[in-house]
Amino acid sequence: MALSNDDGGIHVREVGSYFVGGKSITLADAPSRDAFVAAGRSPARVDPNGDFETGQVYVQFVRLARPRSSLPLLMWHGGGLTGVSFETTPDGRPGWQQQFLAGGHDVHLADGFGGGRASWQRYPEISQAEPLFRTKQELWELFRIGPAGSYATDPAKRRPYPDTQFPVAAFDRFVKQVVPRFRTYDQSTQAGYNALVAQVGPNVVLTHSAAGPLGFASTIAAPDLVRAHVAIEPSGAPDPDSVDLKRLSRIPHLIIWGDRLGLNEPGNSWTELYTSTRRFHDALRKAGGKSTWIDLPSEGYRGNSHMIMMDRNSRQVSNLINSWLKENVND
Amino acid sequence: MALSNDDGGIHVREVGSYFVGGKSITLADAPSRDAFVAAGRSPARVDPNGDFETGQVYVQFVRLARPRSSLPLLMWHGGGLTGVSFETTPDGRPGWQQQFLAGGHDVHLADGFGGGRASWQRYPEISQAEPLFRTKQELWELFRIGPAGSYATDPAKRRPYPDTQFPVAAFDRFVKQVVPRFRTYDQSTQAGYNALVAQVGPNVVLTHSAAGPLGFASTIAAPDLVRAHVAIEPSGAPDPDSVDLKRLSRIPHLIIWGDRLGLNEPGNSWTELYTSTRRFHDALRKAGGKSTWIDLPSEGYRGNSHMIMMDRNSRQVSNLINSWLKENVND
């Protein structure tokens, strides 16, 4: 797919950002305490009480001067990640943000659930849960770049899957985009994403990993606005028995999975997510809905990690998505 | 100033991002502990040990198809803030990112020192200091939107300065972009910004508040690369007696201050920052350097807050900066 101008550029109306969702809260009666602030300085007496904004979603947008689609693409990142997932790949290739702009969509990249520019909250006073920090080894294995035990601190000693599509030499650079992760999100998180959908109006949602369930729920909440949902390795889907699937009959879904999910292996992280999503997909089709399921290895794409949007064949996959959108979404 | 195309658009070569600076660290022998993760779930046993990336600077770029300046503009935010400072204003007007793109510069917005997409570090294991959370009241007063005691939780009851340029109705929306703040930064932070300068090559640096000292130091470190420094209300400047000012003789500086600094009031936050910066400015001029000092009220701009780039007259100030750049910077 070529970029939209002969000289490799895109004609942009405006770049910018906005926040949506969240609320003001007042913290009162929390005890003051002393906090270490810097070597050689006295501890600071911290009074945690006051008014704060919490739960907002940050959205960075690029609006095209002449979009070919009337439907902006909303891109929602996974857990411990931010909208950076969709920007330039760790090895410096144009990211899906750029590819979908070139495909003619306005693009809105979100940072949400306590990551990146959405900020995060004081704990335990506001967020009961504390954030967790994934190590490089955990990321390497969980995101299926190499088998258990194949990570090493020294990049030269790492043993990735021989055919991995992940740009392995840029793994440490990738880790720079990882942020502390609040393990759960609640109805207020969902409300923020629903508010984003309502604010943008008719759109297409593309989700990754932990944002998948948010995308399914936002689609169910507003099928008049979410005109399609593309879910990249979603962290599960709703129980179809709890959803009025008829509401979704006109909303095409595209669900994409990478390689080496290890579904038959004991203790595997992906089995539950894959099978609950498959159950939703099957039920949606049975109810007359349109849902396309792509296991990339079955289509001849081998070696994809969990971070498909930055794998070496990321552009082939975004071309596939762009083609699916053109065929399945009326705008 | 008109945008660069008749239809109000800009011709962009690429949008994307990269990380620069920071390092890999290995945490070992830190004790495991139990962390609350969600209501109704067992605490998670957290082993904090492993490999992490720390200290990186995130940079979001927009490269023009046909920049009119060969010098990209690097925009560095203040403490407890992120690159969002320079994006769309809280009340929805185009931000300085857009204005300087329209002025013909490629623009690179950084998130640094533990904020936004630069992530932040586990404390106390990696960062000794813990981050601090500013309340709305603290932001309202420190950023000079209204006098002490004029903040109220209820927006209708707030009493801003009558002539404030801050878009007061959007104050709560502004607070959504505030992030927890690590009070100090060290040589590794400076190294990250210096690495950014080295990676981009010849450039213009525009800093705000706590990034001011980083900008002065990066300019001193690489006067062959930083061709001008625009400092918006910098949090001080180096002791001129400790700097070889001759190195800076060809690097124009522009230093801008808003209104109501309250320099004659006891306990004032700004006096030390203003006077140390003035001392640097005076010494730089005495040494034959070019430095322009603008107190906006003296130029007829009344009511500017600390957040000049989002004040209602932000575009007039960016026009002033664009004009100064055209007159003072050869590219």
Side-chain angles (χ1 to χ4, degrees), chain A residues 30 43 98 106 139 193:
Chain A
Q98 173 87 13
D106 290 354
L139 292 161
Y193 282 85

Side-chain angles (χ1 to χ4, degrees), chain B residues 110-237:
Chain B
D111 286 4
F113 38 108
R117 289 170 167 181
S119 193
W120 54 283
Q121 301 311 322
R122 178 192 296 281
Y123 62 89
E125 292 93 345
I126 295 177
S127 166
Q128 275 192 283
E130 67 175 273
L132 301 177
F133 294 72
R134 283 183 170 136
T135 65
K136 290 192 196 181
Q137 177 171 344
E138 185 182 353
L139 293 161
W140 177 273
E141 295 181 1
L142 182 64
F143 292 176
R144 310 192 313 272
I145 296 166
S150 70
Y151 171 80
T153 300
D154 178 356
K157 294 183 178 162
R158 296 173 189 164
R159 291 174 290 104
Y161 293 118
D163 66 351
T164 184
Q165 292 284 351
F166 191 85
V168 172
F171 176 75
D172 286 353
R173 190 169 294 274
F174 159 64
V175 175
K176 292 176 189 290
Q177 77 177 252
V178 174
V179 297
R181 179 174 64 101
F182 291 85
R183 288 231 303 205
T184 58
Y185 49 80
D186 58 14
Q187 291 186 334
S188 69
T189 305
Q190 185 69 55
Y193 282 85
N194 289 357
L196 167 54
V197 164
Q199 177 161 325
V200 170
N203 64 74
V204 171
V205 171
L206 186 152
T207 62
H208 179 231
S209 195
L214 295 168
F216 288 117
S218 286
T219 307
I220 291 162
D224 52 324
L225 297 178
V226 181
R227 300 293 172 83
H229 177 199
V230 178
I232 310 298
E233 296 209 346
S235 298

Side-chain angles (χ1 to χ4, degrees), chain A residues 9-10 12 15 17 21 24 33 51 53 56 58 60 87-88 98 111 117 130 136 151 153 173 176, chain B residues 9-10 12 15 17 19 21 24 33 51 53 56 58 60 87-88 98 111 117 130 136 151 153 176:
Chain A
I10 47 179
V12 166
V15 295
S17 65
S24 181
R33 61 196 162 74
D51 295 343
E53 290 288 321
Q56 60 270 19
Y58 164 80
Q60 169 194 348
E87 296 184 334
T88 309
Q98 173 87 13
D111 287 3
R117 290 171 166 180
E130 67 175 273
K136 290 192 196 181
Y151 171 79
T153 299
R173 189 169 294 273
K176 292 176 189 289
Chain B
I10 48 180
V12 166
V15 294
S17 65
F19 287 87
S24 180
R33 61 198 162 72
D51 295 343
E53 290 288 322
Q56 60 271 18
Y58 164 78
Q60 168 193 350
E87 296 183 334
T88 310
Q98 173 88 12
D111 286 4
R117 289 170 167 181
E130 67 175 273
K136 290 192 196 181
Y151 171 80
T153 300
K176 292 176 189 290

